[in-house]
Amino acid sequence: MSLLDDGGPIFAQIAAELANQIADGTVGEGERVASSNELASFYRVNPATAARSLTQLLDDGLVEKRRGVGMFVAEGARGRLVHARRRRFTDRYVRPMVVEAGRLGIGADELLGLVREEMASAEVTSAEAVTGGEV
């Protein structure tokens, strides 16, 4: 079973999936991450490709190597990852939205109201998906 798509290098997709698991807490700090052979088997890729994904996480400081034992999520990895993603989210989405709101004459209170409405709508949509339409 492969969860990969055709967008970007396979090793980067695997590394991104592992980073997502760290960010959402699926794999906690200090926990062992899958070995390159386990990843290769799960994603049906060459072990060298899987190893490259782990090397990427190691280079990013998200995992640490324990000689003879394996790779483990580094202490503080989740916090650093979430902080970096929030900063990227702000740069990619919030700042452009605020700039465009200014162009359209939408003030801070109105913009916050619009965001709250969208968030409430998204919560209802998510709840409907989980309950099969019964909220």
Side-chain angles (χ1 to χ4, degrees):
M1 168 185 202
S2 178
L3 305 174
L4 305 176
D5 61 27
D6 293 329
I10 294 171
F11 83 91
Q13 292 180 54
I14 294 170
E17 178 59 30
L18 294 171
N20 287 339
Q21 292 174 8
I22 294 168
D24 68 18
T26 302
V27 181
E29 294 177 6
E31 287 186 39
R32 183 183 169 280
V33 296
S35 70
S36 56
N37 287 332
E38 291 167 337
L39 291 171
S41 176
F42 181 77
Y43 288 106
R44 296 184 181 162
V45 298
N46 185 303
T49 300
R52 191 168 175 198
S53 66
L54 291 172
T55 299
Q56 179 66 54
L57 295 176
L58 188 64
D59 292 346
D60 292 345
L62 299 177
V63 299
E64 59 189 16
K65 189 183 296 189
R66 296 186 188 163
R67 191 171 183 92
V69 184
M71 297 273 207
F72 292 78
V73 177
E75 187 165 326
R78 183 177 187 280
R80 289 190 306 277
L81 187 58
V82 169
H83 177 75
R85 287 182 175 193
R86 282 178 177 241
R87 193 173 50 237
R88 194 166 56 239
F89 177 82
T90 298
D91 292 345
R92 188 176 292 161
Y93 301 106
V94 177
R95 190 166 293 116
M97 179 179 62
V98 169
V99 169
E100 184 65 13
R103 287 186 191 121
L104 299 173
I106 299 172
D109 290 337
E110 184 179 359
L111 180 59
L112 289 172
L114 292 170
V115 170
R116 283 188 184 99
E117 287 175 20
E118 285 301 314
M119 289 184 79
S121 175
E123 288 172 6
V124 168
T125 302
S126 295
E128 288 174 347
V130 169
T131 63
E134 299 176 23
V135 180

Short mmCIF file of all heavy atoms in Angstrom, two decimals, residues 5 16 19 28 42 46 51 57 61 65 69 73 78 81 89 91 101-102 106:
data_model
loop_
_atom_site.label_atom_id
_atom_site.label_comp_id
_atom_site.label_asym_id
_atom_site.label_seq_id
_atom_site.Cartn_x
_atom_site.Cartn_y
_atom_site.Cartn_z
N ASP A 5 2.17 10.14 -4.06
CA ASP A 5 1.60 10.59 -5.32
C ASP A 5 2.74 10.84 -6.29
O ASP A 5 3.89 10.48 -6.03
CB ASP A 5 0.73 11.84 -5.12
CG ASP A 5 1.51 13.02 -4.55
OD1 ASP A 5 2.72 13.12 -4.77
OD2 ASP A 5 0.89 13.86 -3.89
N ALA A 16 8.15 13.92 4.27
CA ALA A 16 7.04 14.81 4.61
C ALA A 16 5.97 14.07 5.40
O ALA A 16 5.40 14.61 6.37
CB ALA A 16 6.44 15.43 3.35
N ALA A 19 7.26 13.62 8.87
CA ALA A 19 7.20 14.92 9.56
C ALA A 19 5.77 15.23 9.98
O ALA A 19 5.54 15.76 11.08
CB ALA A 19 7.76 16.03 8.67
N GLY A 28 5.57 10.36 18.84
CA GLY A 28 5.99 11.33 19.84
C GLY A 28 7.50 11.41 20.00
O GLY A 28 8.25 10.54 19.54
N PHE A 42 6.86 -0.82 3.45
CA PHE A 42 5.54 -0.20 3.53
C PHE A 42 5.20 0.60 2.27
O PHE A 42 4.11 0.49 1.73
CB PHE A 42 5.46 0.71 4.75
CG PHE A 42 4.12 1.37 4.92
CD1 PHE A 42 3.05 0.67 5.43
CD2 PHE A 42 3.92 2.70 4.55
CE1 PHE A 42 1.80 1.28 5.57
CE2 PHE A 42 2.69 3.31 4.68
CZ PHE A 42 1.62 2.59 5.20
N ASN A 46 12.71 1.38 -2.98
CA ASN A 46 14.06 0.91 -2.73
C ASN A 46 14.51 1.35 -1.33
O ASN A 46 14.24 2.48 -0.93
CB ASN A 46 14.97 1.54 -3.81
CG ASN A 46 16.38 1.04 -3.74
OD1 ASN A 46 17.04 1.14 -2.72
ND2 ASN A 46 16.84 0.52 -4.86
N ALA A 51 16.00 5.29 3.06
CA ALA A 51 17.11 5.79 3.89
C ALA A 51 17.33 7.27 3.65
O ALA A 51 17.62 8.04 4.58
CB ALA A 51 18.38 5.00 3.61
N LEU A 57 15.26 13.84 7.44
CA LEU A 57 14.74 14.14 8.78
C LEU A 57 15.87 14.36 9.78
O LEU A 57 15.78 15.22 10.66
CB LEU A 57 13.81 13.04 9.27
CG LEU A 57 12.52 12.84 8.48
CD1 LEU A 57 11.76 11.65 9.01
CD2 LEU A 57 11.66 14.09 8.50
N GLY A 61 16.97 17.87 11.85
CA GLY A 61 16.97 17.84 13.31
C GLY A 61 15.70 17.27 13.92
O GLY A 61 15.44 17.47 15.11
N LYS A 65 19.91 9.65 15.51
CA LYS A 65 20.34 8.28 15.33
C LYS A 65 20.92 7.77 16.64
O LYS A 65 21.73 8.45 17.27
CB LYS A 65 21.40 8.21 14.24
CG LYS A 65 21.77 6.80 13.82
CD LYS A 65 22.89 6.80 12.78
CE LYS A 65 22.46 7.47 11.51
NZ LYS A 65 23.44 7.30 10.42
N VAL A 69 20.58 0.98 17.49
CA VAL A 69 19.19 0.87 17.95
C VAL A 69 18.21 1.37 16.90
O VAL A 69 17.14 0.81 16.71
CB VAL A 69 18.99 1.65 19.28
CG1 VAL A 69 17.58 1.46 19.80
CG2 VAL A 69 19.99 1.22 20.31
N VAL A 73 12.55 10.09 17.32
CA VAL A 73 12.14 11.49 17.21
C VAL A 73 12.93 12.28 18.24
O VAL A 73 12.97 11.94 19.42
CB VAL A 73 10.62 11.65 17.43
CG1 VAL A 73 10.23 13.12 17.39
CG2 VAL A 73 9.84 10.85 16.40
N ARG A 78 8.79 18.27 17.64
CA ARG A 78 7.43 18.69 17.34
C ARG A 78 7.28 20.20 17.48
O ARG A 78 6.71 20.86 16.61
CB ARG A 78 6.41 17.98 18.23
CG ARG A 78 4.98 18.36 17.88
CD ARG A 78 3.94 17.62 18.73
NE ARG A 78 2.61 17.89 18.23
CZ ARG A 78 1.92 19.01 18.50
NH1 ARG A 78 2.44 19.94 19.27
NH2 ARG A 78 0.71 19.19 18.00
N LEU A 81 9.01 21.97 14.62
CA LEU A 81 8.29 21.72 13.37
C LEU A 81 7.01 22.55 13.31
O LEU A 81 6.72 23.21 12.29
CB LEU A 81 7.97 20.23 13.27
CG LEU A 81 7.36 19.70 11.98
CD1 LEU A 81 8.25 20.00 10.79
CD2 LEU A 81 7.16 18.19 12.10
N PHE A 89 2.82 29.17 7.32
CA PHE A 89 1.38 29.39 7.12
C PHE A 89 1.08 30.89 7.11
O PHE A 89 0.33 31.37 6.25
CB PHE A 89 0.60 28.68 8.24
CG PHE A 89 -0.88 28.91 8.18
CD1 PHE A 89 -1.68 28.17 7.34
CD2 PHE A 89 -1.48 29.87 8.98
CE1 PHE A 89 -3.05 28.37 7.29
CE2 PHE A 89 -2.84 30.09 8.94
CZ PHE A 89 -3.64 29.34 8.09
N ASP A 91 3.14 33.37 6.42
CA ASP A 91 3.72 33.97 5.22
C ASP A 91 2.92 33.63 3.97
O ASP A 91 2.72 34.48 3.10
CB ASP A 91 5.17 33.51 5.02
CG ASP A 91 6.10 34.05 6.08
OD1 ASP A 91 5.73 35.01 6.80
OD2 ASP A 91 7.22 33.50 6.20
N ALA A 101 -7.38 42.05 1.96
CA ALA A 101 -8.48 42.65 2.72
C ALA A 101 -8.31 44.17 2.77
O ALA A 101 -9.29 44.91 2.62
CB ALA A 101 -8.51 42.08 4.14
N GLY A 102 -7.08 44.62 2.96
CA GLY A 102 -6.82 46.06 2.95
C GLY A 102 -7.18 46.69 1.62
O GLY A 102 -7.76 47.78 1.57
N ILE A 106 -11.68 45.94 3.73
CA ILE A 106 -12.19 45.09 4.80
C ILE A 106 -11.34 45.34 6.04
O ILE A 106 -10.14 45.13 6.03
CB ILE A 106 -12.14 43.59 4.41
CG1 ILE A 106 -13.00 43.34 3.17
CG2 ILE A 106 -12.56 42.71 5.57
CD1 ILE A 106 -12.86 41.93 2.60
#
